[in-house]
Amino acid sequence: MTTSTTSATRSYHLTDEEVARFDEQGYLILKNRIPADLLARLQRAADQWIEDGAALAEDDERAADYQYANRPSGRVMFRVDYLHNKNQPASLELLGSPAVLGIAESLAGRDFVPTYESLVFKKAGDGAPINWHQDAVHPRTRRIFNIDVYLDPSRRGEGALRVAPGSHKQPVDVCRLEEEYGWDAPGVVQVELDPGDVLVHDVMVVHGSEAVVGNRLRRTIYYEFRAAEQILAEGPWDAAWIDKRLRLIPVALNAYANADPGAAGFEWGVSESLRPRLTGDDETELRIAHLVHSPGSYCSAGSVPA
């Protein structure tokens, strides 16, 4: 795998040791990464996204961004996609923050592309298990990774994420893994996180989570990033799509600056050949559909990324 990284010359970049640990284990825990005031805004935004989605009729065209599953308790929402056009600026503030973009540049280089954004949540009493899976299987010429921002505690024995360290280096038969070991495959760890912590995970690391136990809500915001060079070489999108997605970055940088004018911002050093020309129409910039996706490795068709 190409390991293009940016040296940790600024406080928001990962250190060389953190990058090496991520490459070896397939995941990295960053404690207290999100400032408390931004975390509070994200928690309020998540509540509003869930409330707004629940209020939509099934035939409303906007309902396509709110994903449901059939549980024993009934039809339950578990995911909100395309966060940035849903009237809560905190999602853009998070995307434009050095806390997030420093990770993206450290692992994908200066030409990082924000490829997905979603809120995944388990409501108290509705937190079904998410089977072992790999988010996306790819040739591993570059890193593809998710930055997972935890809005609620995740605890061992209550449905905390389970990760198989080192499993990201090749495709894994997750059905066989589940049949042989259930949740207790050799070397698997349960990841305990607090609100404001960040988990960075390789999209090929095997992970999953048991049903939420008890009366605890768990909400996590996921931002995926890839290098533009990797997308251009391997797809599944093209240069025009990359250009559209990169238009999110200036809007996000402005959202971060407006939320906290005194804070040091991220210095975006994207290649001039990729630097987007903005339309000035934020509504257009904020929701760029995917249409096609990189295939993952799942055993159950009902599984969703954890």
Side-chain angles (χ1 to χ4, degrees), residues 217-248:
L217 170 69
R218 195 175 81 200
R219 301 162 295 176
T220 309
I221 292 174
Y222 293 86
Y223 289 163
E224 187 197 87
F225 290 89
R226 309 186 187 198
E229 179 184 358
Q230 185 266 336
I231 298 173
L232 291 171
E234 302 169 13
W237 309 295
D238 59 15
W241 188 88
I242 290 172
D243 179 70
K244 291 176 181 178
R245 293 295 297 185
L246 285 176
R247 293 178 197 169
L248 283 169

Side-chain angles (χ1 to χ4, degrees), residues 46 49-51 53 65-67 77-83 86 117-121 220 222:
W49 290 325
I50 295 170
E51 181 180 332
D65 290 352
Y66 300 86
Q67 306 303 316
M77 190 197 313
F78 66 88
R79 182 181 180 121
V80 182
D81 291 322
Y82 301 111
L83 301 179
K86 293 179 170 55
E117 61 277 339
S118 62
L119 170 75
V120 178
F121 58 96
T220 309
Y222 293 86

